[in-house]
Amino acid sequence: MPRFRRAKELPEPHTDAEKEISRRTREAETIGAQGDAAAVAALFADIVLDAISRLGEEHPRTLVALRCRAYWTARAGDAAKVLSLCERVTADMTRILGAQHVETFVSRRVLAEAVGLAGDPGRAARLLDVLIRDSARPLGPHHSERYRQSAAHVEWKMLAERQEPRAEPGDAARRPAGGTSRPEPRPAPEPQSPPEPPPEPRPAPEPPSEPRPAPEQRESEQREPGPPPEPPRRDVPVPDPEVFARRYADSLAMGVAGQAAAAAAAFGVLVADLSAVVGSEHPDTLACRVEHATWLGLSGEAARAARLLWDVTDACARAYGDDHPDTRVAREELRHWRSLADG
């Protein structure tokens, strides 16, 4: 199991009320992934009322429902109206669950995204930058929430750069008027003394008595044999994390925009590329395999999603253990899509 994971997760729902609120939350999120943010926000308004009456205002699953309502309301175009709600949920999560809890980190990300949707992408990118640093050690490098943070950070940073391109201090003094950054011309070299006459040609060498070895033979005799190449490691990092984060963000954005089939295809390509580089059971690959199967299910291929998740669940159990949060997520997705496939 990864050594860096210290953040706590919500326990499995035990009471009937917790199970029902959790089920309705998951179903509403599934509808939201198909693109109807306003309808999902209305669903979460009802879920919040039921959660407050059955679980209480400060129950963690009530706070999760409140956060989901705020998120989908912001996605529906009313981000400014829910900023205070996002701030209150984040403060309550921190007070009740602690600053190092996964749900607290999720609430901080949702707050940052609401800030961006309200028209301030620069502040959203700054909030996400701080969040990524704060959650690096508690979550570890391969937690699914880390991928969502990185994807959101890339998105809002790009939007901020498009909105407000700013020059660095002193650029006007350093840069030519044309806007290019050509180096200044070098001074002309000082005149040098005339070159010396070339040396007289040497006499041709006498032919050797024995034939000289070929170049390949001489190099093999002079060079000592080095150590054998190391086998490829399965725990090496992805070659370019920024490219991976961007591709993950782009794939996720397709799904959130209602293009589930396109998101599934994009995640399928990403899974193939990661499998070729770091292996099919690397944490990065496993996370993308879950996303691939989930978006396949959302595009109408529930049976195929269930078959893929069956393999992913076994792989997560081998890599992390049966009780690991990622294994539980994969198992829950498998149960969900298998029930839909069975009708």
Side-chain angles (χ1 to χ4, degrees), residues 234 271-272 274-289 311-312 315-316 318-319:
R234 294 175 56 195
V271 166
L274 286 171
S275 299
V277 176
V278 293
S280 61
E281 295 190 4
H282 188 276
D284 291 339
T285 313
L286 290 175
C288 289
R289 288 172 67 184
D311 294 336
V312 178
C316 287
R318 288 193 299 270

Coordinates of all heavy atoms in Angstrom, one line a residue, residues 234 271-272 274-289 311-312 315-316 318-319:
R234 N 8.1 -0.9 -12.6 CA 6.7 -0.6 -12.7 C 6.3 0.5 -11.8 O 5.2 1.0 -11.9 CB 5.9 -1.9 -12.3 CG 6.0 -3.0 -13.2 CD 5.3 -4.2 -12.7 NE 3.9 -3.9 -12.5 CZ 3.1 -4.7 -11.8 NH1 3.6 -5.8 -11.2 NH2 1.8 -4.4 -11.6
V271 N -5.5 5.0 -21.0 CA -5.2 3.7 -20.3 C -4.2 3.0 -21.1 O -3.2 2.4 -20.5 CB -6.5 2.9 -20.1 CG1 -6.2 1.5 -19.7 CG2 -7.4 3.6 -19.0
A272 N -4.4 2.9 -22.4 CA -3.4 2.2 -23.3 C -2.0 2.8 -23.2 O -1.0 2.0 -23.1 CB -3.9 2.1 -24.7
L274 N -0.7 4.7 -20.7 CA -0.1 4.5 -19.4 C 0.3 3.0 -19.2 O 1.3 2.7 -18.6 CB -1.1 4.9 -18.3 CG -1.3 6.4 -18.1 CD1 -2.5 6.6 -17.2 CD2 -0.1 7.0 -17.6
S275 N -0.5 2.1 -19.7 CA -0.2 0.7 -19.6 C 1.1 0.4 -20.2 O 1.9 -0.4 -19.7 CB -1.3 -0.2 -20.1 OG -2.5 0.0 -19.4
A276 N 1.4 1.0 -21.4 CA 2.6 0.7 -22.1 C 3.8 1.3 -21.4 O 4.9 0.8 -21.5 CB 2.5 1.3 -23.5
V277 N 3.6 2.4 -20.6 CA 4.8 3.1 -20.0 C 5.0 2.6 -18.6 O 6.1 2.2 -18.2 CB 4.5 4.6 -19.9 CG1 5.6 5.3 -19.2 CG2 4.4 5.2 -21.3
V278 N 4.0 2.5 -17.8 CA 4.2 2.1 -16.3 C 3.5 0.9 -15.9 O 3.6 0.4 -14.8 CB 3.7 3.3 -15.4 CG1 4.5 4.5 -15.6 CG2 2.2 3.6 -15.7
G279 N 2.7 0.2 -16.8 CA 2.1 -1.0 -16.5 C 0.6 -0.8 -16.2 O 0.1 0.3 -15.8
S280 N -0.2 -1.9 -16.3 CA -1.6 -1.8 -16.2 C -2.1 -1.7 -14.7 O -3.3 -1.4 -14.5 CB -2.3 -3.1 -16.8 OG -1.8 -4.2 -16.2
E281 N -1.2 -2.0 -13.8 CA -1.6 -1.9 -12.3 C -0.9 -0.8 -11.6 O -0.9 -0.8 -10.4 CB -1.4 -3.3 -11.7 CG -2.2 -4.4 -12.2 CD -2.2 -5.7 -11.4 OE1 -1.5 -5.7 -10.4 OE2 -2.8 -6.7 -11.9
H282 N -0.3 0.1 -12.3 CA 0.2 1.3 -11.7 C -1.0 2.2 -11.2 O -2.0 2.2 -11.8 CB 1.0 2.1 -12.7 CG 1.8 3.3 -12.1 ND1 1.2 4.5 -11.9 CD2 3.1 3.4 -11.7 CE1 2.1 5.3 -11.4 NE2 3.2 4.7 -11.3
P283 N -0.8 2.9 -10.1 CA -2.0 3.6 -9.5 C -2.5 4.6 -10.5 O -3.8 4.8 -10.6 CB -1.3 4.4 -8.3 CG -0.2 3.5 -7.9 CD 0.3 2.8 -9.1
D284 N -1.7 5.3 -11.4 CA -2.2 6.2 -12.4 C -3.1 5.4 -13.4 O -4.2 5.9 -13.7 CB -1.1 6.9 -13.1 CG -0.3 7.8 -12.3 OD1 -0.9 8.3 -11.2 OD2 0.8 8.1 -12.6
T285 N -2.7 4.3 -13.8 CA -3.4 3.5 -14.8 C -4.7 3.0 -14.2 O -5.8 3.0 -14.8 CB -2.6 2.3 -15.3 OG1 -1.2 2.8 -15.6 CG2 -3.2 1.7 -16.5
L286 N -4.6 2.5 -12.9 CA -5.8 2.0 -12.3 C -6.9 3.1 -12.2 O -8.1 2.8 -12.4 CB -5.5 1.4 -10.9 CG -4.7 0.2 -10.9 CD1 -4.3 -0.2 -9.4 CD2 -5.5 -1.0 -11.5
A287 N -6.5 4.3 -11.8 CA -7.5 5.4 -11.7 C -8.1 5.7 -13.0 O -9.4 5.9 -13.1 CB -6.8 6.6 -11.1
C288 N -7.3 5.7 -14.1 CA -7.9 5.9 -15.4 C -8.8 4.7 -15.9 O -9.7 4.9 -16.7 CB -6.8 6.2 -16.4 SG -6.0 7.8 -16.2
R289 N -8.4 3.5 -15.5 CA -9.3 2.4 -15.9 C -10.6 2.5 -15.2 O -11.7 2.1 -15.9 CB -8.6 1.1 -15.4 CG -7.3 0.7 -16.3 CD -6.6 -0.5 -15.7 NE -7.4 -1.7 -15.8 CZ -6.9 -2.9 -15.3 NH1 -5.7 -2.9 -14.7 NH2 -7.7 -4.0 -15.4
D311 N -12.3 -6.7 -13.5 CA -10.9 -6.8 -13.6 C -10.2 -5.7 -12.8 O -9.2 -5.9 -12.1 CB -10.4 -6.7 -15.1 CG -10.9 -7.9 -15.9 OD1 -11.1 -9.0 -15.3 OD2 -11.0 -7.8 -17.1
V312 N -10.7 -4.5 -12.8 CA -10.1 -3.4 -12.1 C -10.2 -3.6 -10.6 O -9.2 -3.3 -9.9 CB -10.7 -2.0 -12.5 CG1 -10.1 -0.9 -11.7 CG2 -10.5 -1.8 -14.0
A315 N -7.5 -6.0 -9.6 CA -6.2 -5.3 -9.7 C -6.0 -4.4 -8.5 O -4.9 -4.3 -7.9 CB -6.1 -4.6 -11.0
C316 N -7.0 -3.6 -8.1 CA -6.9 -2.7 -7.0 C -6.7 -3.5 -5.7 O -5.9 -3.1 -4.8 CB -8.1 -1.8 -6.9 SG -8.3 -0.5 -8.1
R318 N -5.2 -6.4 -5.4 CA -3.8 -6.8 -5.4 C -2.8 -5.7 -5.1 O -1.9 -5.9 -4.4 CB -3.5 -7.5 -6.8 CG -4.1 -8.8 -7.1 CD -3.5 -9.5 -8.3 NE -3.6 -8.7 -9.5 CZ -4.7 -8.8 -10.3 NH1 -5.6 -9.7 -10.1 NH2 -4.7 -8.1 -11.4
A319 N -3.1 -4.5 -5.7 CA -2.2 -3.4 -5.5 C -2.3 -2.8 -4.1 O -1.3 -2.4 -3.5 CB -2.4 -2.4 -6.6

